[in-house]
């Protein structure tokens, strides 16, 4: 559990702090939504989902 | 909206919260639910989230999000951070990080300094809540002023709420289940309200993204922060919020103090980040619509203004209640946590000095009021110059100053009190110089020249000539960096750490002290817990209880009056080890003694049984001997007294005499054999051919069989073993003669291997042993055929002495089985 939690923490840290300005230069993305926010909320949702899978059984 | 309608709605809502809190007081099971725990953590989302996030998104773009990404990261580390904290808090009754610092680094200025600094550092954050509610109230009521009056009223109202539910009594556990339920309820309300406002605005006004994308001036809101400084600010905000989530007093209070059940954490680790994600979904659309439609409005009020613009004041009112909800939860819990901090580390020692500890509860209530009034004062001094988020971030940087001392103290044995104190002092000074004082300068309470600093390298918002960083990132990196470096560096160069002096005391005296300070209930609870504890353990337990209520420093002082110094730490460990070793030896000796006593008791019982058996045997032997002796005597007397008896009669009597003496002789022989067996002589074992032995036994029994007309049959397998040949023969003869006596026409002797044993079976076609006689058949003097009754008893004892068994088989006729172990002495010589 501890190792997996730490691995998930590192993944989340990477996803949340990578140099976003190098990746998201446009204001319009899929469905007309800003790609930056699609990425941030998508990465966040992914981390929450993985945390759910990891921690659902105490 | 009419101010009175707003006020009425506000009071009704607060009344509902009172009811929820009251209802929750008596339902600890409900308040200990993992969902309530996860929702109570959402006290993190304050008026800043509800109103300020949209404001920041409308001016700074995506930088409103790191404030929520940080706590997500912190919660993923719960197996290290929270798990350890919960265990520590449970053992030592910690109520704050300052308690932990006291516990970790010992008595000294560190914990009181941390407590005092947290109160000052959180004033901007508390002021932010007052400002948010006051602004919202005035905006909805259509007024512009006086903002300060509404903020004062709000401060007093929230202080009253915190006093009512946080300081009803002095509880060593510092748990308030009703308050926790009210906070969880408020978390649901603010989430529901913000999602509803977002959905309403989107449905009413439509999708703002195409319009925003068509407006180049709004593009910065849709793009990430630019350049290295932008990236640095982003990463700093993530780290800052991750640490702040851990070190905010209210988060410690709801996350650690109110719930110490570690099983709640796994659910909270994903449920709370999900909550944050959901509550942030409507922020950007609201911010964009605000920028598009309300260019002149204060961005912090977009959440209220947009529903009004869309023509629905009731949704705006709901948004107002959501903002009030968010602010109330934060202020009440933060106020309570800060009052505990103040009273434990600053007030209690003072009250003890002036012998006024009995009024601690009153002082704690006054502390809440004092903190709220200070927050109001800060709002009057600096609040109007700052946006909501800006004020909150100053407090975030303040609470992170505890992180180096606390986290290093938690995981690194080398951290010292000197290092922690140096780091904290430097961090506080730099925080004040780079963030707190510039805030006052920008508000006009300090000269503007202060912002330029005494030297270009000492500019408060650009130390060492740093440029391009926003004030928050700059203040955080500088103060936290120096704090961390000093804590680490000085710890490495300062040796040792203060040893806590061990105390020991009488349980009764400790309970009396607890009763004086915490009341009878606490003393009774302590007495129950202290049963079986040593004086040292009881003193530690009492100290933990006192610490959580009046602070560790005061608890220590009070404890000195009823305890005495225990053996020192240095001498204690060897003493303990010696005691443990001696105790181990004594235990081993006692065990050996007990084993010897058991053996002695068993031997005595055996001796008693043998003695009884000997008596019984003597009685039985006497009885058996008496019958033939009486007969012999009677016959001899007849022959002596009647010399004229006919010859035929004399011959009959003489034959009877011979028969009885023969019976006597046999009896004496068997008794002698029994006596020999009891004497346990050594066996004379030698290699033996069992088949030849069986043949010999059969040939010896042959005359008797022939006399009785019994046919002897055999089925013998060649077998060799190492045994006492004569004794085996004795057993076989006994079984064979018994069988011949009872058989009708035939007796069969079998010899075959069975496992590691040789099995003899002696079968006859007689009536067999009656069922009622079977249990007694091997007991001495139990004869079925008029013999002595010692034969089978002796045979079984012999069989057992040879390492085998003798038993009666089930079935028709007589069937005795006799086993012998197959011990081959010299396989080569015997061919086995």
């Amino acid at each position: 559990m501890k190792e997996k939690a730490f691995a998930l923490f590192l993944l989340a840290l990477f996803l949340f702090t990578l140099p976003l300005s190098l990746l998201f230069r446009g204001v319009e993305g899929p469905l007309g939504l800003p790609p930056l926010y699609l990425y941030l909320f998508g990465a966040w949702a992914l981390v929450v989902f993985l945390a759910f899978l990891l921690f659902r059984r105490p | 909206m009419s101010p009175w309608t707003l006020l009425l709605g506000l009071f009704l809502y607060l009344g509902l919260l009172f009811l929820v809190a009251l209802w929750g007081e008596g339902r600890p099971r409900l308040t200990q639910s993992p969902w309530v725990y996860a929702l109570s953590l959402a006290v993190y989302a304050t008026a800043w989230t509800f109103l300020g996030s949209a404001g920041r998104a409308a001016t700074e773009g995506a930088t409103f999000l790191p404030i929520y990404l940080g706590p997500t990261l912190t919660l993923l580390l719960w197996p290290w951070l929270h798990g350890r904290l919960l265990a520590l808090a449970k053992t030592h009754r910690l109520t704050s990080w300052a308690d932990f610092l006291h516990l970790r680094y010992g008595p000294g200025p560190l914990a009181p300094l941390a407590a005092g600094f947290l109160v000052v550092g959180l004033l901007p954050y508390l002021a932010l809540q007052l400002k948010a509610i006051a602004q919202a109230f005035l905006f909805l009521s259509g007024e512009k002023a006086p903002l300060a009056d509404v903020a004062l009223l709000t401060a007093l109202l929230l202080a009253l709420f915190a006093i009512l539910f946080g300081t009803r009594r002095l509880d060593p556990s510092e748990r308030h289940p009703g308050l926790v339920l009210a906070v969880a309820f408020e978390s649901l309300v603010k989430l529901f309200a913000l999602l509803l406002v977002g959905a309403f605005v989107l449905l009413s006004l439509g999708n703002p993204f195409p319009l925003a994308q068509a407006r180049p001036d709004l593009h910065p809101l849709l793009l990430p922060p630019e350049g290295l400084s932008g990236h640095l600010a982003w990463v700093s905000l993530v780290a800052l919020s991750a640490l702040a989530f851990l070190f905010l007093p209210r988060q410690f209070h709801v996350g650690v103090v109110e719930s110490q059940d570690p099983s709640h954490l796994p659910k909270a680790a994903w449920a709370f980040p999900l909550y944050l994600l959901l509550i942030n979904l409507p922020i950007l659309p609201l911010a964009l619509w605000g920028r598009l439609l309300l260019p002149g409005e204060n961005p912090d009020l977009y959440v209220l203004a947009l529903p009004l613009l869309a023509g629905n004041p009731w949704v705006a009112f709901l948004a107002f209640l959501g903002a009030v909800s968010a602010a109330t939860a934060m202020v009440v819990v933060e106020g309570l946590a800060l009052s505990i901090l103040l009273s434990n580390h600053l007030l209690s020692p003072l009250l003890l000095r002036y012998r006024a500890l009995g009024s601690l509860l009153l002082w704690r209530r006054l502390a809440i009021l004092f903190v709220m009034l200070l927050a109001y004062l800060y709002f009057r001094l600096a609040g109007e110059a700052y946006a909501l988020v800006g004020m909150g971030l100053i407090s975030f940087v303040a609470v992170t100053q505890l992180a180096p001392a606390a986290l290093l103290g938690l995981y690194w044995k080398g951290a010292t009190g000197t290092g922690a104190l140096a780091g904290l002092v430097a961090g506080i000074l730099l925080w004040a110089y780079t963030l707190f004082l510039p805030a006052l300068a920008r508000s006009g309470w300090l000269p503007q020249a202060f912002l330029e600093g005494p030297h270009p390298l000492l500019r408060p918002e650009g130390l060492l000539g740093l440029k391009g960083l926003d004030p928050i990132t700059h203040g955080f990196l500088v103060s936290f960096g120096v704090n961390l470096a000093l804590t680490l560096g000085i710890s490495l160069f300062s040796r040792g750490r203060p040893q806590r002096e061990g105390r020991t005391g009488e349980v009764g005296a400790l309970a009396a002290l607890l009763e004086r300070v915490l009341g009878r209930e606490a003393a009774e609870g302590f007495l129950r817990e202290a049963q079986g504890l040593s004086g040292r353990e009881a003193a530690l337990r009492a100290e933990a209880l006192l610490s959580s209520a009046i602070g560790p420093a005061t608890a220590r002082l009070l404890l000195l009056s009823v305890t005495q110094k225990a053996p020192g730490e240095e001498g204690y460990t060897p003493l303990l080890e010696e005691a443990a070793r001696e105790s181990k030896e004594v235990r081993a000796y006692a065990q050996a003694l007990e084993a010897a006593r058991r053996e002695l008791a068993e031997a005595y019982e055996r001796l008693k049984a043998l003695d009884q058996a000997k008596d019984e045997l003597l009685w039985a032997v006497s009885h058996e001997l008496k019958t033939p002796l009486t007969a012999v005597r009677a016959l001899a007397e007849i022959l002596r007294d009647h010399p004229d008896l006919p010859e035929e009669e004399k011959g009959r009597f003489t034959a009877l005499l011979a028969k009885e003496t023969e019976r006597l002789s046999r009896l004496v022989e068997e008794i002698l054999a029994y006596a020999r067996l009891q004497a346990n002589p050594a066996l004379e074992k030698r290699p033996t051919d069992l088949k030849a032995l069986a043949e010999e036994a059969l040939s010896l029994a042959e005359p008797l069989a022939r006399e009785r007309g019994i046919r002897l049959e055999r089925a013998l397998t060649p077998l060799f073993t190492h045994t006492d040949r004569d004794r085996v023969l004795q057993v076989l003869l006994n079984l064979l003669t018994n069988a011949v006596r009872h058989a009708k026409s035939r007796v069969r002797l079998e010899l075959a291997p069975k496992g590691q044993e040789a099995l003899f079976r002696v079968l006859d076609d007689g009536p067999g042993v009656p069922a009622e006689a079977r249990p007694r058949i091997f007991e001495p003097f139990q004869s079925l055929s008029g013999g002595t009754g010692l034969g089978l008893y002796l045979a079984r004892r012999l069989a057992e002495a040879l390492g085998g068994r003798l038993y009666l088989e089930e079935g028709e006729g007589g069937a005795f089985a006799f086993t012998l172990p197959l011990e081959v002495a010299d396989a080569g010589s015997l061919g086995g």
Side-chain angles (χ1 to χ4, degrees):
Chain A
M1 162 80 87
K2 276 190 170 183
E3 291 76 11
K4 287 181 183 172
F6 192 64
L8 183 56
F9 166 78
L10 289 179
L11 172 72
L13 187 67
F14 171 74
L15 291 174
F16 295 165
T17 58
L18 56 84
L20 300 165
S21 57
L22 298 177
L23 301 169
F24 304 101
R25 292 166 184 273
V27 293
E28 190 173 345
L31 305 170
L33 297 170
L36 170 70
Y37 289 92
L38 274 180
Y39 166 77
L40 285 173
F41 278 99
W44 199 358
L46 174 73
V47 168
V48 171
F49 178 67
L50 292 176
F52 165 73
L53 292 181
L54 180 61
F55 298 133
R56 62 183 159 174
R57 286 195 190 89
Chain B
M1 264 188 164
S2 145
W4 294 111
T5 312
L6 279 177
L7 265 181
L8 181 67
L10 184 63
F11 277 111
L12 282 177
Y13 178 70
L14 288 178
L16 177 66
L17 284 183
F18 273 105
L19 288 178
V20 171
L22 269 180
W23 189 66
E25 283 288 302
R27 287 168 180 75
R29 287 184 69 181
L30 174 70
T31 52
Q32 284 297 307
S33 146
W35 292 109
V36 170
Y37 178 72
L39 280 172
S40 71
L41 289 182
V43 70
Y44 180 77
T46 64
W48 164 356
T49 306
F50 205 92
L51 301 173
S53 279
R56 186 166 179 100
T59 52
E60 306 279 338
T63 57
F64 74 95
L65 274 175
I67 309 299
Y68 308 97
L69 297 175
T72 303
L73 288 173
T74 305
L75 274 168
L76 293 177
L77 288 177
W78 76 259
W80 281 276
L81 290 170
H82 295 85
R84 190 156 187 164
L85 262 183
L86 285 182
L88 269 173
K90 196 173 181 181
T91 311
H92 300 285
R93 300 286 183 107
L94 302 181
T95 58
S96 65
W97 278 107
D99 285 358
F100 171 75
L101 294 179
H102 180 91
L103 177 80
R104 172 64 177 80
Y105 297 107
L110 185 62
L113 179 67
F117 174 60
L118 279 174
V119 174
V120 176
L122 282 164
L123 291 180
Y125 206 171
L126 287 164
L128 179 163
Q129 312 303 317
L130 302 181
K131 181 179 179 181
I133 294 181
Q135 264 186 352
F137 184 84
L138 289 179
F139 176 77
L140 282 186
S141 61
E143 307 282 333
K144 293 288 177 192
L147 185 63
D149 288 356
V150 180
L152 179 62
L153 185 68
T154 309
L156 295 174
L157 203 62
L158 295 181
L160 180 68
F161 194 91
I163 287 167
L164 277 175
F165 284 97
T167 58
R168 289 172 68 192
R169 60 180 185 278
L170 269 183
D171 182 355
S173 73
E174 290 296 357
R175 290 185 186 169
H176 311 84
L179 186 66
V180 171
L181 191 68
V183 169
F185 175 75
E186 284 185 312
S187 296
L188 279 179
V189 169
K190 63 196 177 199
L191 176 65
F192 172 74
L194 199 54
L195 288 176
L196 189 81
V197 170
F200 174 75
V201 168
L202 282 175
L203 287 173
S204 308
L205 304 176
N207 182 1
F209 291 108
L211 295 173
Q213 281 151 5
R215 287 263 304 266
D217 61 314
L218 296 184
H219 285 185
L221 304 185
L222 305 176
L223 290 169
E226 283 187 5
L228 182 62
S229 62
H231 182 63
L232 200 59
W234 177 274
V235 174
S236 296
L237 276 178
V238 172
L240 177 63
S241 56
L243 289 171
F245 177 75
L246 199 58
F247 287 95
L248 280 167
R250 69 175 187 279
Q251 293 306 138
F252 190 92
H253 192 83
V254 292
V256 178
V257 180
E258 294 286 358
S259 176
Q260 295 190 6
D261 186 349
S263 68
H264 293 169
L265 280 165
K267 188 161 278 174
W270 62 266
F272 176 61
L274 179 65
Y275 180 97
L276 293 180
L277 189 152
L278 290 175
I279 207 168
N280 275 291
L281 280 175
I283 297 296
L284 185 66
L286 289 172
L288 291 177
W289 272 125
R291 284 292 298 267
L292 288 165
L293 301 176
L294 301 163
E297 191 54 81
N298 178 356
D300 287 338
L301 294 172
Y302 283 167
V303 175
L304 301 169
L306 286 168
L308 281 181
L309 186 75
N312 197 327
W314 290 110
V315 174
F317 179 67
L318 186 70
F320 171 68
L321 284 188
V324 167
S325 211
T328 309
M330 183 280 186
V331 169
V332 169
V333 182
E334 199 83 89
L336 174 64
L338 288 178
S339 79
I340 294 172
L341 259 177
L342 269 179
S343 76
N344 280 3
H345 293 276
L346 301 169
L347 271 176
S348 295
L350 278 177
L351 291 174
L352 184 70
R353 179 172 295 175
Y354 294 106
R355 299 179 185 280
L357 205 56
S359 54
L360 182 63
L361 200 58
L362 172 69
W363 282 102
R364 195 176 272 193
R365 288 170 180 158
L366 289 175
I368 291 181
L369 192 62
F370 173 68
V371 168
M372 290 310 298
L373 290 176
L374 274 183
Y376 172 73
L377 184 66
Y378 182 86
F379 162 73
R380 290 298 300 264
L381 289 176
E384 297 204 46
Y386 272 87
L388 296 181
V389 172
M391 292 168 72
L393 285 174
I394 294 174
S395 288
F396 266 28
V397 178
V399 295
T400 58
Q401 300 310 317
L402 264 63
L407 290 181
L408 288 175
L410 206 55
Y411 295 102
W412 182 39
K413 285 182 181 172
T416 65
T418 317
L421 185 63
L424 185 61
V425 169
I428 290 172
L429 291 176
L430 283 168
W431 170 82
Y433 187 69
T434 58
L435 289 168
F436 190 74
L437 295 179
L440 295 182
R442 286 183 194 283
S443 307
W445 293 93
L446 285 175
Q448 283 287 316
F450 178 82
L451 294 173
E452 296 306 316
H455 187 275
L457 291 179
L458 295 176
R459 203 166 57 85
E461 294 179 342
L463 284 175
L464 302 175
L466 279 170
K467 284 181 182 169
L469 291 177
D470 69 273
I472 296 295
T473 308
H474 169 264
F476 170 61
L477 291 178
V478 167
S479 60
F480 187 79
V482 171
N483 183 343
L484 181 64
L486 283 175
T487 308
L488 263 172
I490 294 184
S491 289
L492 285 172
F493 291 100
S494 58
R495 288 185 180 177
R497 56 187 173 125
Q499 291 283 336
R500 279 173 68 86
E501 176 202 328
R503 307 292 302 176
T504 183
E506 294 289 330
V507 171
L510 291 166
L513 172 66
L514 286 174
E515 188 172 348
R516 281 206 304 280
V517 180
L518 303 174
R520 183 179 293 174
E521 203 178 319
E524 286 169 357
F526 168 75
L527 280 174
R528 278 195 300 276
E529 282 183 42
Q531 281 176 352
L533 293 183
S534 68
R536 177 187 286 264
E537 290 166 334
L540 278 173
R541 190 84 203 121
E543 189 179 356
L545 286 169
L546 285 170
S547 287
S548 55
I550 55 173
T554 316
R556 195 78 181 151
L557 284 172
L558 278 176
L559 213 68
L560 293 175
S561 62
V562 297
T563 57
Q564 56 192 359
K565 192 176 176 184
E569 296 291 333
E570 286 176 6
Y572 183 65
T573 307
L575 262 177
L576 204 66
E577 283 169 3
E578 178 67 13
R581 189 184 59 74
E582 281 178 8
S583 162
K584 201 175 169 184
E585 282 172 8
V586 166
R587 269 204 309 277
Y589 181 68
Q591 278 170 355
L593 216 57
E594 175 60 20
R597 191 198 61 77
R598 265 202 308 273
E599 271 181 32
L600 212 60
E602 284 169 10
Y604 176 69
E605 288 301 320
R606 276 203 304 277
L607 213 59
K608 258 176 48 182
L610 278 174
D611 194 45
Q612 191 179 352
K614 188 191 76 185
D615 290 347
E616 286 172 3
L617 188 70
L618 279 174
W619 181 86
V621 167
S622 311
H623 183 73
E624 289 296 317
L625 288 173
K626 192 179 173 186
T627 313
L629 272 175
T630 308
V632 166
R633 202 179 77 185
L635 288 167
E637 281 174 358
I638 289 170
L639 289 172
R640 186 193 66 194
D641 296 342
H642 301 85
D644 52 343
L645 274 175
E647 282 303 316
E648 188 189 345
E649 199 73 358
K650 276 185 184 169
R652 198 168 62 82
F653 283 169
T654 312
L656 273 174
L657 260 175
K659 191 181 172 186
E660 286 303 318
T661 47
E662 186 189 340
R663 181 174 147 80
L664 266 175
S665 169
R666 200 170 65 240
L667 198 58
V668 169
E669 278 295 323
E670 286 187 344
I671 289 167
L672 285 173
Y674 172 76
R676 279 199 299 274
L677 193 67
Q678 291 294 94
N680 232 356
L683 296 171
E684 293 179 10
K685 286 190 175 181
R686 54 180 182 271
T688 306
D689 180 347
L690 293 180
K691 187 184 174 190
L693 196 64
E695 296 279 7
E696 186 181 341
L698 281 169
S699 64
L700 286 171
E702 183 66 32
L704 184 63
R706 200 180 314 120
E707 184 186 312
R708 290 181 171 260
I710 304 297
R711 190 174 73 250
L712 289 179
E713 297 173 356
R714 67 202 66 195
L716 305 172
T717 306
L719 281 176
F720 299 86
T721 190
H722 196 73
T723 188
D724 189 323
R725 188 179 185 283
D726 293 344
R727 297 198 176 202
V728 177
L729 187 62
Q730 193 180 345
V731 175
L732 284 178
L733 271 177
N734 185 293
L735 295 178
L736 280 171
T737 49
N738 257 354
V740 168
R741 279 199 196 101
H742 295 98
K744 285 179 189 164
S745 61
R746 64 188 180 88
V747 168
R748 180 182 174 83
L749 176 62
E750 294 176 357
L751 170 62
K754 187 181 180 188
Q756 297 298 308
E757 290 179 319
L759 175 66
F760 291 98
R761 294 179 79 220
V762 180
L763 312 162
D764 66 68
D765 58 352
V769 182
E772 65 275 11
R774 282 176 171 262
R776 296 179 285 112
I777 193 76
F778 292 105
E779 290 178 14
F781 306 110
Q782 300 293 330
S783 173
L784 294 175
S785 56
T788 61
L790 278 171
L792 278 175
Y793 169 74
L794 284 171
R796 174 175 265 195
R797 295 294 308 272
L798 280 172
E800 287 169 357
L802 292 164
R805 289 167 292 129
L806 176 61
Y807 53 93
L808 180 61
E809 290 186 337
E810 294 290 332
E812 290 183 5
F816 285 87
F818 162 42
T819 64
L820 269 181
L822 284 173
E823 295 172 13
V824 181
D826 186 348
S829 64
L830 289 166

